[in-house]
Amino acid sequence: MTEEVALRFSVSRNQAALLLEVSCALVSRLPNTLAALDKGDIDLFKASKVSQLTREVSDEVAAQVDAFMAKRLAARDPAAIRGSVSYAVEKYDPDGFRERAEKKRERRHISLEHEDETMSTLSGFLPSELASSIYASISRIARTRRAQDKTRTLDQHRADVFAERLLAEDGHGKPRAHIHVYVDFLTLTGARNDPATLAGYGPIPDWLVREIASDPGSTWSRLITDPATGQILEAGAGTYRPPASLARLIRARDRECTHPGCHRPAEFSEIDHITTWARDGKTDHHNCHGACKTHNLLKEEPGWTAAPTGNGGMTITTPTGHTYHATPEPLHEPRPEPEDDTPPF
């Protein structure tokens, strides 16, 4: 069947095998995802993000994940869908997830692939918290060097720092970097097993975040959230430059660039106004957000507009008149409203 599909669609055998795998999963285990595909809410590539991450779970867990994703598929980019599916798999199959994660951690390795014109690619398959720490540490040093040496791009500085550290043999000690992990208090104490979030990566399991938190070198910051919405509580200021406390709150709330489809971590993004200061935009958490440099400048381009919707959310209008809505994800699931047992009059 794989060979027949490959011929019919003029694709490789591997592509045909993937098509069959996704198709079988949609029909037999993921009815809600299949319905979204039928309605045109998602395409086959987005549907494959659900099937790939549920490939190794039981039918029961796959059904729970599929139901969880039913209202989280439409109008979302593939990376966002993948993050939500990963969260659900960790939530509904914590033991299985841990077993698979431990097996993958045992497969950590580095690889070397030679490219054209004297270049090669050196890459590492590492635990996500280590890879994120390495990248954050290298980026911090590279930005400092870039401020002093404009002859090299930021990427070139990153590559040079990377090479220097790997080749150094005089032992300067282990570099430390500030990475951001978001976890609710009950999960941190072990009373609940919901996944946490590693900025720039996505959901990580509860056992891993407790390992990170218990490291003597870790530092903790308290964030107060609204239990009804999961969002960080209000903070405000009346000056143009966001104060440090407001900047910390926004980075913690947004966690990544707020432009739809962009997942650059907020600690590497800029804090700026949605409605600009020149247009009487306020410097508070409703009108300030985290955005990468590209998307922060984009709203100033002709035909592009952005309007705040509250608590960092915004509506973006493109030059063609299409509108897109973006709202920071809550830090935890909102608390359900209590049922009112008062009899009607």
Side-chain angles (χ1 to χ4, degrees):
M1 181 60 70
T2 298
E3 299 292 353
E4 190 169 351
V5 170
L7 290 171
R8 184 65 176 174
F9 286 89
S10 299
V11 297
S12 70
R13 190 178 188 278
N14 288 341
Q15 288 176 298
L18 180 60
L19 280 172
L20 284 173
E21 178 184 329
V22 173
S23 301
C24 291
L26 290 173
V27 171
S28 62
R29 306 210 310 166
L30 305 170
N32 291 296
T33 307
L34 178 60
L37 181 64
D38 286 340
K39 288 191 298 183
D41 289 341
I42 58 174
D43 57 23
L44 189 61
F45 181 71
K46 292 180 180 179
S48 71
K49 299 303 176 185
V50 184
S51 66
Q52 287 171 6
L53 290 176
T54 55
R55 177 189 293 143
E56 299 180 44
V57 305
S58 66
D59 290 345
E60 179 182 356
V61 172
Q64 290 176 302
V65 175
D66 184 57
F68 177 86
M69 292 300 301
K71 296 181 179 180
R72 294 174 168 86
L73 292 170
R76 301 185 72 199
D77 66 277
I81 291 174
R82 185 179 183 86
S84 293
V85 176
S86 181
Y87 176 93
V89 170
E90 293 175 31
K91 183 178 181 68
Y92 297 118
D93 187 30
D95 293 336
F97 183 91
R98 178 164 192 160
E99 180 179 351
R100 293 188 296 274
E102 289 175 348
K103 288 180 179 178
K104 286 193 174 181
R105 283 167 174 256
E106 292 174 356
R107 291 165 44 201
R108 61 189 180 275
H109 64 273
I110 63 171
S111 59
L112 177 64
E113 181 179 357
H114 293 300
E115 308 286 356
D116 298 325
E117 282 80 42
T118 74
M119 299 301 290
S120 297
T121 298
L122 178 66
S123 60
F125 184 68
L126 298 170
S128 54
E129 74 277 8
L130 293 181
S132 296
S133 291
I134 291 169
Y135 187 81
S137 178
I138 289 175
S139 294
R140 187 183 68 248
I141 300 301
R143 285 195 297 271
T144 301
R145 292 190 180 185
R146 171 65 175 166
Q148 301 169 350
D149 178 10
K150 301 291 187 181
T151 64
R152 288 179 284 177
T153 66
L154 186 59
D155 279 337
Q156 289 172 337
H157 279 295
R158 283 196 188 100
D160 294 343
V161 173
F162 176 75
E164 290 166 11
R165 286 188 172 181
L166 291 181
L167 292 173
E169 296 181 359
D170 54 351
H172 291 296
K174 185 174 70 173
R176 295 181 66 238
H178 190 190
I179 61 172
H180 297 258
V181 180
Y182 305 93
V183 57
D184 67 271
F185 179 76
L186 292 179
T187 297
L188 183 62
T189 60
R192 188 159 58 199
N193 298 320
D194 285 346
T197 300
L198 174 63
Y201 175 76
I204 59 174
D206 60 294
W207 55 266
L208 176 56
V209 76
R210 283 193 288 271
E211 286 183 11
I212 296 172
S214 63
D215 189 301
S218 294
T219 56
W220 297 11
S221 297
R222 185 179 64 171
L223 304 174
I224 307 299
T225 62
D226 183 344
T229 64
Q231 293 288 0
I232 296 179
L233 293 178
E234 184 171 345
T239 59
Y240 169 72
R241 183 176 297 279
S245 59
L246 178 58
R248 286 195 299 269
L249 183 148
I250 291 170
R251 287 192 172 96
R253 179 198 65 198
D254 295 350
R255 303 190 289 289
E256 58 187 23
C257 173
T258 53
H259 189 87
C262 183
H263 302 282
R264 182 172 178 80
E267 61 263 34
F268 303 136
S269 298
E270 300 176 347
I271 306 298
D272 206 349
H273 300 76
I274 299 173
T275 298
T276 63
W277 178 263
R279 297 187 178 95
D280 297 324
K282 294 182 178 179
T283 304
D284 60 24
H285 76 294
H286 290 299
N287 188 50
C288 287
H289 69 141
C292 70
K293 189 174 185 66
T294 297
H295 292 127
N296 192 28
L297 294 174
L298 182 64
K299 64 178 183 289
E300 301 297 325
E301 292 294 318
W304 289 83
T305 60
T309 57
N311 208 16
M314 63 179 175
T315 298
I316 299 170
T317 305
T318 70
T320 58
H322 292 84
T323 58
Y324 301 88
H325 305 284
T327 302
E329 290 286 335
L331 289 182
H332 58 77
E333 292 290 329
R335 179 185 297 172
E337 292 289 337
E339 296 184 5
D340 188 358
D341 296 329
T342 306
F345 293 98

